[in-house]
Amino acid sequence: MRYWKKWMAIATICCVMTIGVGLGKSEAAGLTDIRGHWAEQTISQMAQQGLLDGFPDGTFRPDDSVTADQFVKIVLLAFTDKYPNGERKWKSSFLQALSAGNQSILQQDYRDFTFKPSMVGYWAKPYLDLASDLHFISKGQFSDYKAKLKREDVAEILYYLLKETEYLEDEVYSLKAASKFGDLQSATSRQQRFIGEVMTKGIMEGYPNGYFGVGRDVTRAEALQIITRLQTKSKRLSVDSGSDFIKVVPTKDGSYKKLIFPDQRMLQAYEVMEEAGKLRGTNYDLEETTLRLFKNAEAKGLAMSGATLEQRNSNEASLWLDPQFLTYGVTLRLDEGTIARNMESIRKFTDFLFGYDADIFYRQFTDACERAAAKGELETTTKQIGSYSVETRLESDGKTIIFSLIHT
């Protein structure tokens, strides 16, 4: 009889556990401490997705601190769909957002990834290895991944994740927007960049006291709220950039960033610059606000993958603009054939800028190039052409001539 009672007790416990799983953690006897919590609904939804587990005693402990390894796990699983049989697969939207390189990493190096913790050794190793290979984190980013995560640490992880899956915000604007936080100056300049990004993206916000919370631990509930906004853009906080002159542009490392232009004219100039590059076929490369023009495909290949700085800077001409200082420019290397190959692109860009005064600039441009090429020297001059102050300068190498066009 004693053994029968013990068996019945075990069977009852198993039955309760089975019912609990069927109901979902937030509805079962588990997670008894989230009722009435500000993040109750978020915790309930995310727990059912299996992003962050409760504890054996049936609690979730929403106000406990989240650790770095836990957060990395949550981030990765947030980009998956969980099926009734418990299997997980990457969301198609996530795969499409990744670079070709990162897609290849998932398809080749992690094609057998189980989304489960390691059963031998450190439980979080599979998640940390994958996040590192996708460039979401660096393995030396935290000295202890079991340590409590600070708010600026979360911002850093999100910064690099957004860089790989979306695009970065305009840094000048995001830092200006984040300057409202009373404790921003207590963060390093590097951390301020991360904070500005996640604040402008509408993923993290400050506290009612006007502080971001630099140095403050991130709670388990806060972590899930952050992940919810990361997952679903419609849930992000609305942040007005105060400008309609916005464009997402390619960066040097193959990702993207948002640029905010000071006016419609500079935004249009950027788009004209894009078209000017296409006049060279495929012998151009556009990185942020600089269009590089190359002699041929071989020269472009060398510049894109060269081992030395000289090789990487081996373009023969460039068109550029600087939104912060309302400046446009043309840089030219005075080698044989450079002007002839690139003049159509240069004229398309400068004709738009100068309008009726374009021929005046063109005459100054060709005259300066001819004199510099003949003598290897040129006096720096500044002349007013239309609404632009045009500075002409020859670099010390005697081969690179720069025309800076400052809108006055």
Side-chain angles (χ1 to χ4, degrees):
M1 178 64 73
R2 185 171 67 250
Y3 295 110
W4 170 255
K5 288 182 179 180
K6 184 180 291 185
W7 184 89
M8 286 296 293
I10 292 173
T12 301
I13 292 172
C14 291
C15 182
V16 170
M17 289 177 66
T18 303
I19 293 172
V21 171
L23 289 171
K25 293 184 179 180
S26 62
E27 297 174 59
L31 305 190
T32 56
D33 58 345
I34 67 169
R35 181 174 294 277
H37 192 276
W38 64 266
E40 178 181 356
Q41 184 177 3
T42 298
I43 295 170
S44 175
Q45 293 172 347
M46 303 297 257
Q48 290 182 53
Q49 294 181 40
L51 299 189
L52 193 58
D53 300 325
F55 290 90
D57 64 358
T59 62
F60 184 77
R61 305 176 196 175
D63 298 319
D64 280 7
S65 300
V66 71
T67 58
D69 48 15
Q70 289 173 346
F71 190 77
V72 171
K73 172 197 170 186
I74 301 170
V75 164
L76 291 175
L77 295 189
F79 292 113
T80 67
D81 287 318
K82 185 178 180 180
Y83 295 90
N85 64 358
E87 185 181 1
R88 286 189 182 274
K89 290 186 178 180
W90 296 111
K91 292 179 181 288
S92 59
S93 57
F94 172 68
L95 294 174
Q96 292 167 8
L98 293 176
S99 66
N102 273 351
Q103 288 182 29
S104 177
I105 287 172
L106 287 183
Q107 293 166 359
Q108 297 181 25
D109 300 340
Y110 288 91
R111 59 183 179 275
D112 298 322
F113 190 66
T114 65
F115 303 97
K116 296 178 181 179
S118 174
M119 301 301 291
V120 178
Y122 183 26
W123 71 268
K125 187 178 185 303
Y127 305 112
L128 299 180
D129 286 345
L130 176 55
S132 176
D133 287 347
L134 294 178
H135 310 292
F136 295 170
I137 62 170
S138 60
K139 288 190 175 179
Q141 190 167 330
F142 301 101
S143 57
D144 181 6
Y145 277 87
K146 296 183 287 296
K148 297 175 181 179
L149 206 56
K150 306 294 184 185
R151 284 176 60 80
E152 59 271 25
D153 295 330
V154 167
E156 180 175 357
I157 293 173
L158 295 177
Y159 178 94
Y160 288 107
L161 186 148
L162 291 166
K163 183 179 180 180
E164 295 294 333
T165 59
E166 295 184 22
Y167 57 83
L168 296 180
E169 297 292 324
D170 183 288
E171 188 172 310
V172 173
Y173 166 73
S174 63
L175 286 175
K176 182 178 179 181
S179 64
K180 71 175 187 178
F181 294 128
D183 59 344
L184 187 67
Q185 295 305 314
S186 63
T188 66
S189 58
R190 185 168 177 269
Q191 290 169 342
Q192 289 176 27
R193 188 166 79 249
F194 305 145
I195 293 169
E197 177 69 25
V198 296
M199 180 263 181
T200 308
K201 268 289 193 290
I203 297 175
M204 293 182 72
E205 59 184 321
Y207 291 98
N209 64 359
Y211 281 34
F212 176 76
V214 176
R216 181 170 173 167
D217 291 346
V218 177
T219 67
R220 287 162 59 84
E222 288 174 333
L224 292 186
Q225 182 67 57
I226 289 167
I227 295 301
T228 297
R229 292 174 182 159
L230 178 67
Q231 274 185 324
T232 311
K233 292 183 180 180
S234 62
K235 293 183 179 181
R236 295 184 186 181
L237 303 173
S238 177
V239 181
D240 184 10
S241 68
S243 175
D244 296 325
F245 315 124
I246 297 172
K247 192 172 184 69
V248 176
V249 303
T251 61
K252 188 173 184 177
D253 59 7
S255 57
Y256 294 86
K257 67 180 293 185
K258 180 191 289 183
L259 283 183
I260 298 178
F261 295 89
D263 52 36
Q264 181 68 31
R265 184 169 182 76
M266 182 166 274
L267 174 57
Q268 290 176 332
Y270 183 92
E271 293 169 346
V272 170
M273 190 172 72
E274 287 183 293
E275 294 302 313
K278 295 174 184 177
L279 295 175
R280 290 297 319 278
T282 59
N283 297 325
Y284 74 93
D285 178 56
L286 182 61
E287 297 172 356
E288 296 191 21
T289 57
T290 300
L291 174 72
R292 298 197 297 164
L293 306 173
F294 303 97
K295 181 178 180 179
N296 50 35
E298 182 182 355
K300 179 181 177 180
L302 184 63
M304 301 298 286
S305 59
T308 67
L309 181 62
E310 182 180 2
Q311 290 173 334
R312 293 193 294 273
N313 292 331
S314 61
N315 54 290
E316 61 180 10
S318 62
L319 310 177
W320 49 271
L321 50 83
D322 188 330
Q324 188 174 0
F325 297 102
L326 281 175
T327 303
Y328 308 80
V330 178
T331 302
L332 194 73
R333 184 162 179 81
L334 299 171
D335 292 327
E336 184 178 354
T338 296
I339 294 178
R341 279 189 293 272
N342 297 288
M343 184 50 70
E344 187 180 8
S345 297
I346 293 171
R347 288 222 62 167
K348 185 174 184 65
F349 183 54
T350 56
D351 283 358
F352 169 79
L353 295 176
F354 288 101
Y356 291 115
D357 298 308
D359 285 339
I360 298 175
F361 171 76
Y362 176 65
R363 287 194 294 270
Q364 180 180 323
F365 173 82
T366 53
D367 178 64
C369 289
E370 289 171 1
R371 287 189 287 118
K375 298 181 179 180
E377 58 183 31
L378 185 72
E379 180 182 354
T380 298
T381 61
T382 301
K383 294 182 180 180
Q384 190 72 27
I385 302 179
S387 59
Y388 294 91
S389 175
V390 181
E391 179 189 86
T392 305
R393 182 178 82 253
L394 185 67
E395 291 290 271
S396 58
D397 63 2
K399 299 281 288 184
T400 306
I401 189 168
I402 302 172
F403 299 87
S404 297
L405 320 176
I406 305 170
H407 195 267
T408 57

